[in-house]
Amino acid sequence: MEIGRVMVVEFVDALIDQMGFRDAEHFYECLAEQFIIKNDQVKYNSGVRWFIIDDDKDLSTDSSINKNDSIAFSNLTDSLVKKPLSISVLFYGNSTRSYKDRKKKNPNPINQTSIQKKERKNFESGHLIASDLFEYIYSPPTDMRENMFFQTSYSNRSIGYGDMLPQRIIECIVEYALNNRNMRESKSVEKFYQVMNISKFSSAYYYRLPSEQHLWYKVSLLYANKENNIASAVYMQCRTSDNVLNFNVLIPNIFCEKKQNSSIIFPKIDYQTGKVFEKKYELK
């Protein structure tokens, strides 16, 4: 690894640079192009190190998940090297069943050969839809590789390591809403509730999906450019028909930084090749 040139920036700008974007303007351009999200709808939350999206688009109008019972719809790029873009699922409260006998398949990403084998060891095979949630999907994707992508452990499931909460937290909330098990990762979920101003008296606090309600869930990947084989962030949308749960969050697909006095050093990813090098930032 090599130390790159030192940049003097605010932490959020270092984060955007770390995610592979040229600058904040490029970041917002990609959000607008890929998800039709405007600048003023995006707010960085330092408490969880996520970008909170103020977007009230009704997921029930998404043609890929409308009027289907627990069926997963995957979406890939149209490029020669297929890359996962999103997976959508609609869960019906009155017909949610558990297919516990289904074998969990955790293959490599569908575009695994797009980066060299020695670089793949830097990443996990992350899931757009968590493998535990497939117990509640009647019809999962035919090719499970479409549900997999290159993801850092820090973004995926690492709890208590660094200040950023991983994707796992939203998955725990969704899984809890669909079944009668105890809340997993409850301490980190409580942190998320606190950041989102969800009190113990809120109906969203430890929410269970009523039998007459539905839950729409969509996970998409944000790429900094079309040539990249690794996503810069994971966009997670969750909304219930009673509008009690309504989350729209963007989780950076990055490594944890190292602090050094007033500076931070990020293991920076080349999102096209998968190579990792160190880059130092001086914080304002």
Side-chain angles (χ1 to χ4, degrees):
M1 291 186 177
E2 59 182 3
I3 301 293
R5 64 187 178 87
V6 179
M7 295 178 63
V8 181
V9 293
E10 300 285 352
F11 183 86
V12 64
D13 294 318
L15 185 63
I16 289 172
D17 183 70
Q18 163 74 354
M19 293 163 65
F21 298 97
R22 293 190 301 272
D23 49 31
E25 183 178 358
H26 180 216
F27 171 60
Y28 290 122
E29 285 175 357
C30 290
L31 283 175
E33 179 183 352
Q34 296 177 46
F35 303 129
I36 319 177
I37 293 172
K38 299 178 181 178
N39 297 23
D40 58 3
Q41 294 177 286
V42 185
K43 291 182 174 60
Y44 172 67
N45 190 296
S46 59
V48 290
R49 299 254 175 111
W50 293 355
F51 294 89
I52 309 299
I53 312 297
D54 181 14
D55 185 7
D56 281 331
K57 280 198 290 288
D58 187 355
L59 286 178
S60 64
T61 62
D62 188 325
S63 60
S64 65
I65 58 177
N66 193 30
K67 297 180 181 179
N68 286 287
D69 180 11
S70 302
I71 297 177
F73 291 87
S74 59
N75 183 20
L76 300 174
T77 65
D78 292 327
S79 62
L80 292 176
V81 179
K82 297 292 184 181
K83 295 180 292 189
L85 291 180
S86 67
I87 287 191
S88 310
V89 186
L90 171 60
F91 296 99
Y92 275 79
N94 61 2
S95 62
T96 297
R97 298 174 292 273
S98 182
Y99 303 92
K100 294 181 180 179
D101 58 340
R102 179 179 291 142
K103 293 183 179 179
K104 294 181 181 179
K105 298 178 181 179
N106 297 309
N108 292 314
I110 196 166
N111 65 328
Q112 67 159 330
T113 58
S114 61
I115 65 175
Q116 294 186 17
K117 188 174 182 179
K118 65 179 181 179
E119 314 300 350
R120 292 178 213 161
K121 64 182 180 181
N122 296 321
F123 305 94
E124 298 183 346
S125 290
H127 299 72
L128 277 83
I129 303 296
S131 57
D132 288 339
L133 289 176
F134 275 103
E135 290 184 9
Y136 308 96
I137 300 176
Y138 174 71
S139 180
T142 303
D143 189 343
M144 290 297 291
R145 295 180 302 162
E146 298 177 9
N147 186 50
M148 314 301 292
F149 66 104
F150 295 111
Q151 187 175 24
T152 67
S153 177
Y154 189 42
S155 170
N156 185 15
R157 56 188 174 85
S158 291
I159 304 291
Y161 180 72
D163 296 324
M164 188 177 80
L165 289 182
Q167 173 179 341
R168 176 69 179 143
I169 301 309
I170 297 296
E171 294 167 346
C172 289
I173 293 172
V174 172
E175 185 180 5
Y176 183 84
L178 296 176
N179 65 39
N180 293 315
R181 298 174 188 165
N182 293 329
M183 177 69 82
R184 303 186 189 188
E185 312 295 355
S186 58
K187 186 176 180 180
S188 294
V189 170
E190 293 279 355
K191 179 181 179 180
F192 172 74
Y193 284 152
Q194 184 177 7
V195 166
M196 299 296 290
N197 296 316
I198 298 174
S199 72
K200 293 183 179 180
F201 305 103
S202 169
S203 53
Y205 187 82
Y206 282 74
Y207 174 88
R208 297 284 196 190
L209 184 67
S211 60
E212 70 278 6
Q213 301 295 335
H214 317 317
L215 186 151
W216 292 275
Y217 185 52
K218 186 173 185 177
V219 183
S220 309
L221 300 179
L222 175 68
Y223 293 90
N225 64 57
K226 295 180 180 179
E227 290 73 34
N228 284 357
N229 297 302
I230 300 169
S232 294
V234 185
Y235 181 34
M236 306 186 75
Q237 299 167 273
C238 171
R239 188 169 185 174
T240 53
S241 50
D242 56 12
N243 209 34
V244 174
L245 290 188
N246 189 1
F247 302 142
N248 294 275
V249 300
L250 189 76
I251 303 172
N253 188 20
I254 60 172
F255 291 103
C256 184
E257 78 281 2
K258 294 181 262 185
K259 297 177 183 177
Q260 189 181 81
N261 299 323
S262 62
S263 303
I264 55 172
I265 300 174
F266 269 117
K268 185 173 172 61
I269 301 167
D270 182 324
Y271 287 90
Q272 183 174 3
T273 65
K275 294 180 179 180
V276 179
F277 59 95
E278 287 192 347
K279 187 169 183 179
K280 188 175 183 178
Y281 304 83
E282 187 74 27
L283 297 182
K284 292 181 180 178

